[in-house]
Amino acid sequence: MRTFVYTSRPSRVVFGAGTVRRVRDEAERLGCSRVLLLSSPALPEASARVRRTLGDMLVAEFDGAAMHTPVEVTEQALDVLTQASADGIVAIGGGSTTGLSKALALRTDLPQVVLPTTYAGSEVTPVLGETRDGRKVTQSSPSILPETVVYDVDFTLTLPLPMTVTSGVNALAHAVEALYSSDANPVTDQQALDAISRIARALPRLTADPADPEARADLLHAAWLAGTCLATVGMGLHHKLCHTLGGSFDLPHAETHTVVLPHAMAYNAPAVPGVMRRIADALGVPDAPSGVYDLVASLGGPTSLRDLGLPEWSLAHAAELAVSTPYPNPRKLTAEDMAELLTDAWHGRRPEGPPSTEAGLARLTEQVVASFARAPEPRVRTLLSDLVRHLHTFVATNDVTDAEWQYAIDFLTRTGQLCSPTRQEFVLLSDTLGVSSAVDLLTNSRTPTTTPSAVLGPFYVEGPPEAAHGSDISGGLPGIPLWADVRITGTDGEPVKDAVVDVWQSNKEGFYDVQLPDLDGPVLRARLRTHADGRIRFWSILPSEYPIPDDGPVGHMLGAVERHPYRAPHLHFMIDAPGHRRLVTQLFVSGGAYLDSDTVFGVKDELVVDFAPQTGPTPDGRQVEGQWRRLDYTFRIAPLAD
Ligand code: NAD
């Protein structure tokens, strides 16, 4: 049984996107009517939004917060607060602005509403570190803790990527040290592990798209959880080292956390192997300290104290300071050990972890994804990053061998080599894998009031011959005569004039003209235009089922999985009308073969229609011996505004 003590901190948290709208209500809830706003010059728009929301409640503003909360700055802000007779503080910004708010609250006991814009976590702790005469002194008091925190995810979207990474690792450090704290308890353990997983998930996504709102929300949520851990349990070696380096050597806060964390973890790891395993699991890596180092490196974050500007000669002094006052830490500390740790951190050495393929692969994936970070087009960045992640996962989960990958490359090479103006093997590949139909489903079939679309297929040829109404597009090829009477209407049922309708189909044996080199010119394909009645009428022949070309790599693939290559019989249509969205679709012959197993997955129930058998007189008086078929159909096409 585990014995523990848990003290919760009484902050109120409002979390979401656009939550800035609630700031005035939250300030009123704390009894404020005259508010001092601590704003941030780096966040002009966000500060303006807070200003607008506060309205006439805002009586004074101060925008000079500085890192490590120098007391001179606090005194200036206190003057502004006193002269304005403010009865509450609202602060928007990173840990520095929050620190100033806390310093003012400590001196005045006024209530605070804080809107954090980084992941430092200070907003939920009752701790304040102030710098006086170059020395940073930390104290804790209930009056320091902000009463209300408004997390508005929108305000973090502008945080530059390097700062996002270092601030995110700052939050990670709170969660990591909470897990091996001497005050650790089941509640903070869960919060810490949740925070670690969210950070590990969000940071790589943000390097691909820094404005990804879900990843931003994940990271801000993690910052709150990690800050809560920091507020609830004592921290160890890592925070002590960062405090020393920041306070005595003026190193930047979040960057220092980012460099030191893997080394502090590696030092403590032998004393808390179980905790390190849980951290590694939450991060999704085999080894926690080297996993954190790899994560930072793959995100382009800082890995050496040298790069942060720390002179090498100061390492010994920093090591002495780090052990000058005792504090709880899972592993005993000596100045020699600290000097060694700081030397590793100064050089940016990777902590030794067990060599592992997974770690190497994760690093490789993130390096490739990071290589897209500067792509100016966000959509390109997202698609390429996601494609690479899926491909790497595919290769890893299937343990793809060298020979298999070479085979795949050879397969794609042959697919490309077979493509020509009349043979599109890549379209066939996309069709037979169902990708064309998937893209079609997602992009074209979202309007329930229009005729469903279907894939274009590989046999469309630009600029088919113009045909007159009532003409025969079969070029005299044998087959059951087909009379098509087709109407094009809008979603309102009104006929669409001047629609350009391209039609194409296979012959009785299932071949398209482009597959028949002996044919003279285009056959069984035509372009007709609608008049005011929205109709086109033409003669053709009944299409039949046919195999897609199966003498290439795609046919090979179908054979290897014992799939037939047949398409259900159908007629293709492409309809372009002024003011309307293009419709590409197919009409399938009801009762035809392969409707259930069309090899390109193109059949949709609504597109299976009667090609009704007829005998006797035809609509235009043409003489037909025996049976003929009749297709009557109305296409509903969407206006462009939809
Ligand atoms: P910071 O507040 O100094 O911000 C760094 C820079 O980023 C600033 O120029 C800031 O204006 C800018 N910035 C902040 N949010 C931005 C955004 N969304 N978009 C664009 N620019 C933005 O840095 P920090 O790391 O958040 O805070 C560090 C300070 O917080 C240190 O003084 C540290 O000691 C303190 N801190 C205290 C605690 C605690 O519990 N007492 C905890 C963590 C940090």
Side-chain angles (χ1 to χ4, degrees):
M1 190 201 299
R2 191 172 171 187
T3 304
F4 60 88
V5 176
Y6 172 72
T7 312
S8 69
R9 304 284 173 197
S11 290
R12 174 177 162 89
V13 166
V14 178
F15 190 99
T19 45
V20 64
R21 284 191 295 272
R22 309 262 291 267
V23 167
R24 188 184 168 109
D25 289 351
E26 291 299 328
E28 277 171 355
R29 202 176 159 273
L30 297 173
C32 306
S33 58
R34 300 177 59 79
V35 155
L36 167 72
L37 172 63
L38 301 178
S39 58
S40 294
L43 290 151
E45 279 174 30
S47 300
R49 286 200 62 191
V50 180
R51 220 172 275 133
R52 276 200 302 278
T53 311
L54 289 173
D56 58 7
M57 183 185 267
L58 175 62
V59 293
E61 186 165 336
F62 184 85
D63 69 358
M67 200 170 276
H68 304 308
T69 328
V71 286
E72 315 81 73
V73 174
T74 304
E75 275 153 19
Q76 287 169 27
L78 189 58
D79 272 353
V80 177
L81 183 151
T82 315
Q83 276 175 25
S85 309
D87 59 9
I89 306 162
V90 171
I92 166 159
S96 298
T97 314
T98 306
L100 176 58
S101 176
K102 289 167 146 184
L104 291 174
L106 176 68
R107 286 159 175 77
T108 59
D109 213 13
L110 289 183
Q112 312 168 64
V113 178
V114 173
L115 296 101
T117 60
T118 67
Y119 309 110
S122 171
E123 63 279 358
V124 284
T125 79
V127 179
L128 169 66
E130 289 188 293
T131 318
R132 186 189 297 272
D133 303 327
R135 266 195 71 228
K136 192 165 176 178
V137 179
T138 300
Q139 58 187 307
S140 179
S141 151
S143 64
I144 291 174
L145 181 71
E147 281 72 7
T148 302
V149 183
V150 176
Y151 287 104
D152 190 333
V153 177
D154 291 348
F155 286 175
T156 61
L157 300 180
T158 55
L159 190 65
L161 197 54
M163 180 82 195
T164 300
V165 171
T166 53
S167 194
V169 178
N170 187 187
L172 181 64
H174 307 331
V176 164
E177 290 229 298
L179 284 161
Y180 54 63
S181 167
S182 54
D183 313 319
N185 61 73
V187 180
T188 49
D189 281 4
Q190 282 315 312
Q191 291 171 328
L193 290 170
D194 189 4
I196 293 170
S197 317
R198 286 174 189 272
I199 293 165
R201 187 166 63 209
L203 282 178
R205 280 179 62 178
L206 289 171
T207 50
D209 178 6
D212 180 333
E214 288 307 319
R216 284 286 179 191
D218 243 353
L219 201 50
L220 197 57
H221 190 144
W224 165 42
L225 293 173
T228 307
C229 293
L230 175 69
T232 316
V233 300
M235 297 284 121
L237 168 66
H238 168 78
H239 281 74
K240 178 70 180 173
L241 281 175
C242 292
H243 186 83
T244 303
L245 292 167
S248 307
F249 301 94
D250 205 25
L251 293 195
H253 176 81
E255 289 86 340
T256 307
H257 273 269
T258 306
V259 172
V260 172
L261 183 60
H263 300 280
M265 288 170 73
Y267 184 80
N268 279 334
V272 282
V275 168
M276 288 298 157
R277 244 192 328 277
R278 295 171 79 191
I279 296 172
D281 286 348
L283 287 169
V285 297
D287 170 65
S290 58
V292 170
Y293 182 95
D294 292 343
L295 178 70
V296 170
S298 69
L299 299 169
T303 51
S304 85
L305 291 175
R306 177 177 45 199
D307 290 349
L308 299 189
L310 184 73
E312 193 173 10
W313 51 258
S314 60
L315 292 177
H317 181 43
E320 292 293 342
L321 284 177
V323 293
S324 58
T325 44
Y327 53 92
N329 186 64
R331 187 172 161 198
K332 203 167 154 294
L333 308 172
T334 66
E336 294 76 50
D337 287 341
M338 289 308 99
E340 200 176 311
L341 183 164
L342 287 170
T343 305
D344 284 344
W346 191 83
H347 284 284
R349 294 181 184 129
R350 179 179 187 267
E352 292 260 331
S356 96
T357 317
E358 288 89 346
L361 183 64
R363 201 160 56 245
L364 174 72
T365 305
E366 292 318 321
Q367 274 170 355
V368 181
V369 167
S371 75
F372 304 133
R374 277 194 303 280
E377 188 54 61
R379 181 72 177 153
V380 170
R381 219 162 46 223
T382 305
L383 290 181
L384 277 177
S385 305
D386 211 38
L387 179 67
V388 162
R389 285 217 171 87
H390 278 89
L391 279 176
H392 285 208
T393 305
F394 166 79
V395 167
T397 45
N398 293 292
D399 237 332
V400 171
T401 64
D402 234 359
E404 285 167 338
W405 190 241
Q406 276 312 318
Y407 183 89
I409 288 174
D410 177 57
F411 178 89
L412 291 174
T413 306
R414 284 184 286 123
T415 303
Q417 283 168 343
L418 207 58
C419 291
S420 74
T422 55
R423 173 84 184 252
Q424 235 307 350
E425 193 74 0
F426 265 117
V427 175
L428 276 187
L429 182 58
S430 157
D431 290 354
T432 49
L433 294 178
V435 184
S436 307
S437 284
V439 173
D440 172 51
L441 259 176
L442 293 168
T443 53
N444 295 319
S445 296
R446 288 178 173 163
T447 49
T449 52
T450 58
T451 304
S453 56
V455 296
L456 178 70
F459 297 116
Y460 177 70
V461 177
E462 291 286 348
E466 297 271 351
H469 284 237
S471 62
D472 186 349
I473 69 167
S474 72
L477 290 178
I480 300 176
L482 168 69
W483 170 254
D485 186 342
V486 167
R487 255 163 56 85
I488 319 292
T489 74
T491 44
D492 54 4
E494 289 299 313
V496 175
K497 186 175 156 227
D498 295 332
V500 177
V501 184
D502 288 354
V503 191
W504 67 107
Q505 65 167 95
S506 66
N507 70 6
K508 186 162 143 280
E509 278 78 39
F511 292 109
Y512 287 76
D513 55 357
V514 290
Q515 298 172 287
L516 301 168
D518 296 342
L519 271 185
D520 188 16
V523 184
L524 289 172
R525 64 178 72 240
R527 170 167 292 172
L528 294 102
R529 294 167 194 271
T530 60
H531 299 313
D533 62 359
R535 288 168 78 180
I536 58 163
R537 274 150 289 179
F538 61 92
W539 281 101
S540 186
I541 53 173
L542 187 68
S544 57
E545 66 276 13
Y546 63 86
I548 58 164
D550 60 354
D551 56 342
V554 171
H556 202 113
M557 174 192 78
L558 295 178
V561 295
E562 301 193 355
R563 250 173 71 180
H564 72 71
Y566 279 90
R567 292 229 51 205
H570 59 273
L571 214 56
H572 290 270
F573 290 87
M574 182 192 284
I575 303 167
D576 275 304
H580 291 78
R581 284 178 56 182
R582 165 180 285 184
L583 174 67
V584 177
T585 191
Q586 305 175 15
L587 294 181
F588 293 87
V589 180
S590 163
Y594 304 110
L595 282 172
D596 290 345
S597 60
D598 184 52
T599 201
V600 307
F601 309 96
V603 178
K604 291 176 182 162
D605 289 347
E606 305 94 305
L607 298 175
V608 179
V609 297
D610 274 345
F611 285 60
Q614 311 279 327
T615 48
T618 58
D620 65 348
R622 176 179 171 174
Q623 293 299 314
V624 175
E625 291 283 318
Q627 195 199 77
W628 55 282
R629 297 284 187 114
R630 180 178 179 123
L631 167 68
D632 291 286
Y633 193 77
T634 300
F635 290 100
R636 279 169 286 104
I637 60 175
L640 270 183
D642 274 12

